[in-house]
Amino acid sequence: MRLEEARVGFAMCGSYCTHAQTIAALERLAPQCGAVIPILSEGSGHRDTRFGENRALRAQLENLCGHPVLDTIVQVEPIGPKHLLDLLIIAPCTGNTLGKLAVGITDTAITMAAKAHLRNGGPVLLGPSTNDGLSVSLRNLGELLSRKGYYCVPFRQDDPEKKPNSLVSRMELIPDAARQALKGEQLQPVLLPSVG
């Protein structure tokens, strides 16, 4: 399937420090898609942080996507039975969400969106952003990448000196990674050189 025809779910978890980069990628991605449905985690959808107010984030997403934000399990559950998506992107994808997806916990809007979409055999593109990506979350990331249907936005260590276990996806690669995921392929290379 071509991205231009695709109905894409764009789900954002915490990792608030990467929201600006992720929104910039969405600004490039949205005009290339058939439709984009924004999805927010409970934390992103209802918490103000030092990186911005939740109301501003919701308004920005709804303006970019032309669709109301979904942020509850009840709102996203129909993704599966109604075949609402061709691709689900989870970016940023926190270590918490990686862990829940890896063991099948469905207690958030994001994990329910993934479960509902995967039941139809659709691809899920993960954009990991977590301070424990090279420690405890590495096991979960590896588990997901070994499963059919999961793909990753290429990632790297963001600060090897001060945060040696931290991984962050290159969010600007989301459009390219989305095109590949729709073909059933992983954008390569997955592991990128560190910043600096």
Side-chain angles (χ1 to χ4, degrees):
M1 165 169 280
R2 297 172 61 243
L3 186 60
E4 291 75 11
E5 303 160 345
R7 297 163 301 167
V8 176
F10 199 94
M12 293 180 67
C13 296
S15 191
Y16 306 104
C17 60
T18 61
H19 278 191
Q21 299 161 19
T22 306
I23 292 291
L26 178 58
E27 288 172 344
R28 287 185 43 235
L29 176 74
Q32 300 177 48
C33 300
V36 180
I37 298 172
I39 303 166
L40 285 176
S41 69
E42 288 75 357
S44 293
H46 299 282
R47 276 190 208 127
D48 294 337
T49 72
R50 64 188 170 103
F51 298 100
E53 295 181 357
N54 71 75
R55 278 185 283 162
L57 175 62
R58 295 172 79 84
Q60 192 172 22
L61 287 173
E62 290 178 353
N63 184 50
L64 278 171
C65 301
H67 192 283
V69 167
L70 307 180
D71 64 359
T72 69
I73 289 174
V74 172
Q75 289 174 322
V76 300
E77 187 274 335
I79 286 171
K82 293 186 177 180
H83 295 267
L84 296 180
L85 302 178
D86 300 302
L87 171 67
L88 175 63
I89 299 170
I90 304 174
C93 184
T94 60
N96 187 47
T97 297
L98 287 172
K100 289 180 179 193
L101 291 171
V103 297
I105 295 172
T106 309
D107 64 349
T108 69
I110 303 244
T111 55
M112 175 54 85
K115 178 180 179 178
H117 179 60
L118 285 165
R119 88 176 217 170
N120 297 326
V124 175
L125 177 62
L126 304 172
S129 179
T130 177
N131 285 326
D132 63 1
L134 289 178
S135 58
V136 72
S137 284
L138 184 60
R139 168 183 45 210
N140 299 322
L141 182 57
E143 172 66 30
L144 292 170
L145 288 179
S146 70
R147 291 187 194 164
K148 182 178 179 180
Y150 280 99
Y151 303 91
C152 230
V153 178
F155 53 83
R156 64 184 177 197
Q157 287 179 278
D158 59 318
D159 189 346
E161 295 297 319
K162 295 179 184 169
K163 300 188 298 180
N165 293 323
S166 183
L167 291 179
V168 66
S169 287
R170 294 266 313 271
M171 299 305 180
E172 71 272 17
L173 297 176
I174 287 174
D176 294 335
R179 286 183 188 281
Q180 293 301 110
L182 283 167
K183 295 179 192 175
E185 299 173 1
Q186 172 62 53
L187 182 64
Q188 296 290 344
V190 179
L191 300 172
L192 300 170
S194 299
V195 176

